[in-house]
Amino acid sequence: MHSRIGVGLGGGFYPAPHRYELFLSASCPRSLRVSITLGLLGLRDSVTTTLLTHPARTPEAFASLRSAYEATVHHYDGPLTAPALCDRWSGRIVSNHTPDILRDLAGLLSGHDEACPSALHPPALAADIEALRELLDRKVTPSAAPSERSAALDVMERRLSLHPYALGAELTAADVDLWVALVQPGPVNSLCPYPRLQEFVRRLGDHPAFRCAHEVASDAA
């Protein structure tokens, strides 16, 4: 489901405060990216979030998500995946594609557009943000080969020796992706050889948007 927020010829999903709801999974790195992004953009009060844990612990949340999928696809019988952005007015899923959700949060939902781009997604760094996200999703995961993970971490360590953030002097969406990748469970002491990455994790972990999102996910898991 890959719809986007925007004003089309037929109306469609246009931005409005309190219109949208995000279903997030407590154990999902993609959901943590979305939750941190909400905090960085100041959207926690205008976009409702519903946290999914185990179906037995959050049955109403799962029932609401199923209703949204069934309202979107007739006789839907597939998995209830999250993150999922839902339109509360129609009860339908807008998107369950995380990159699109993140772009929409940083775009029209936070009051930004081409004339006034978000600092999290500066147009000049769009390709670099996507490239880094793909690298992290392939090589900095608990299931990645140790040699590939080490090579990717070496690249990140060198970058952080030149700048305070992943792509330069300012915090962007790439830093959200990198931080989430680094705090996911993995090999014990895997960051010991990387002092700049350790400092990066500590520094961003002290930021309210990162700290709050991580604490909520950890408490619910």
Side-chain angles (χ1 to χ4, degrees):
M1 300 174 186
H2 292 253
S3 294
R4 299 293 304 277
I5 303 298
V7 181
L9 294 177
F13 300 112
Y14 61 87
H18 312 295
R19 174 173 180 174
Y20 296 97
E21 178 175 10
L22 274 164
F23 288 89
L24 304 177
S25 173
S27 59
C28 170
R30 295 186 301 275
S31 291
L32 183 55
R33 288 176 178 175
V34 172
S35 182
I36 292 169
T37 301
L38 280 172
L40 289 173
L41 294 169
L43 290 174
R44 293 198 181 279
D45 291 335
S46 60
V47 178
T48 301
T49 58
T50 297
L51 194 62
L52 305 160
T53 58
H54 189 277
R57 292 174 58 189
T58 52
E60 294 182 357
F62 276 92
S64 295
L65 182 59
R66 176 165 295 283
S67 295
Y69 271 97
E70 291 175 346
T72 308
V73 179
H74 189 54
H75 294 310
Y76 182 82
D77 61 357
L80 303 180
T81 61
L85 180 64
C86 178
D87 173 29
R88 301 173 73 192
W89 293 0
S90 66
R92 297 168 55 206
I93 298 290
V94 178
S95 178
N96 58 6
H97 184 58
T98 303
D100 284 349
I101 293 173
L102 290 169
R103 280 190 287 267
D104 283 344
L105 290 176
L108 294 175
L109 284 177
S110 58
H112 296 93
D113 55 22
E114 292 182 2
C116 179
S118 166
L120 285 183
H121 279 270
L125 295 178
D128 293 330
I129 291 171
E130 292 299 323
L132 180 58
R133 181 173 295 158
E134 291 179 6
L135 174 68
L136 296 172
D137 286 344
R138 286 187 291 110
K139 298 187 177 181
V140 186
T141 66
S143 61
S147 60
E148 291 189 339
R149 178 181 172 88
S150 295
L153 293 178
D154 286 340
V155 171
M156 296 299 106
E157 180 79 1
R158 289 194 295 272
R159 288 191 181 192
L160 291 174
S161 70
L162 301 173
H163 304 286
Y165 298 104
L167 297 180
E170 303 295 334
L171 188 149
T172 69
D175 296 291
V176 178
D177 295 337
L178 177 57
W179 191 84
V180 170
L182 294 176
V183 301
Q184 293 308 299
V188 176
N189 297 326
S190 61
L191 293 183
C192 283
Y194 307 102
R196 293 183 179 88
L197 289 177
Q198 292 183 67
E199 192 276 333
F200 174 84
V201 168
R202 286 194 296 268
R203 175 161 45 92
L204 268 64
D206 288 336
H207 189 292
F210 290 79
R211 184 177 64 250
C212 178
H214 195 234
E215 288 176 350
V216 169
S218 298
D219 290 345

